[in-house]
Amino acid sequence: MLLRAQKTIKASAFNTYWMLEKQHIVSMRDFTREDVTFILDYAERMFPFARTGIELLQHKILALLFFEPSTRTQLSFDSAMKRLGGSTLSLSSEDSSILKGETITDTVKVVEGYADAIVLRHSREGAARMASEISNVPIINAGDGAGHHPTQTLLDLYTIRRESHLENLDIALLGDLKYGRTAHSLAYALNMFDANIALVAPDGLQMPSHIVDTLDSVTVTDNIDDVIHEVDVLYVTRIQKERFPDPNEYLRVAKSYRIYRSMLQGARDDLIILHPLPRVDEIATDVDQTKHAKYFQQAFYGIPVRMALLSIVMDKLL
Ligand code: CP
């Protein structure tokens, strides 16, 4: 269990909480439902400070090691750290000694001397787990290949709880469920909350069976029309072009699904549509103006959630 270090009772804000001590955030599988609920509640406490800031992590430094492209995860961690009064160091593969052949292991061992926590995005599945085994400061997985993206999942859950509900949830995950790490992490987490999950993917891009087999209430289909009128949340993902070993295989499935405004007729009135972004063409822009579209709000919620996580891993609680 991730939040295993120290079970502490704090008299003030919470009845019970788990304080992390040099702990890592690698996979949703390391969390319990109780852990997740604590983090979401704590993110709610951070929410008022997501724009104004709060001096909680002065003199703390966060290293952002992004060896794959990112807009939201990198900038929102950067913003979250600065909103907490801390500072950041950034490194990408283009401007690091990785280009000279330095290993990720050596890079982490060096950067742990420069920062109080490390956010790592890497193309190799398992990279964050490996880094967590050798690092003396917390490693936060910002996406490891087609593996996991736990902080995205926590902000997805936060969005669902704020904009819809987590109890008795009917949700469809649509898109590239084979390579989409956000969908993998989210499926594990939703199962903790007893959600009814519809997995909707083109032929060849369904969720790996080792994940499907862990889900308690699941429907598998290739047709969004089967489920779009029966869900509270439609979670859309892009096809992960960069993960296809064979470009022809990508071309076979490219543009195989797209959500249009007209498809939402007959949907539940309070349906919300989420997307981890970036969007390519899987949601038509005319959906953006509907009351259902919550994906830009979802991206903003990355700030309070990541403020909460940084505060927890750096052991400076509000
Ligand atoms: N959702 C997400 O991970 O976006 P970025 O790739 O832009 O960080």
Side-chain angles (χ1 to χ4, degrees), residues 66 69-74 121 142 149 152 181-182 276-278:
F66 277 74
S70 169
T71 296
R72 276 144 295 275
T73 313
Q74 182 165 7
R121 172 168 288 188
H149 194 348
Q152 176 68 45
R181 58 195 175 200
T182 63
L277 304 177

Side-chain angles (χ1 to χ4, degrees), residues 2 14 30 36-37 39 85 97 99 138-139 182 195 221 231 256 264-265 287-288 297 301:
L2 169 72
F14 303 106
D30 299 330
V36 172
T37 302
I39 292 167
S97 289
L99 274 188
I139 295 290
T182 63
T221 176
V231 292
S256 56
L264 304 177
Q265 283 168 11
V287 175
D288 299 359
Q297 187 67 27
Y301 289 147

Side-chain angles (χ1 to χ4, degrees), residues 13-14 31 38 43 67 74 106 109 119 127 156 165 172 188-189 203 212 282 289 304:
F14 303 106
F31 290 79
F38 165 72
F67 300 131
Q74 182 165 7
D106 283 3
K109 289 308 289 176
V119 180
D156 294 340
H165 56 276
Y188 282 123
D203 184 37
V212 178
E282 54 282 343
Q289 280 75 49

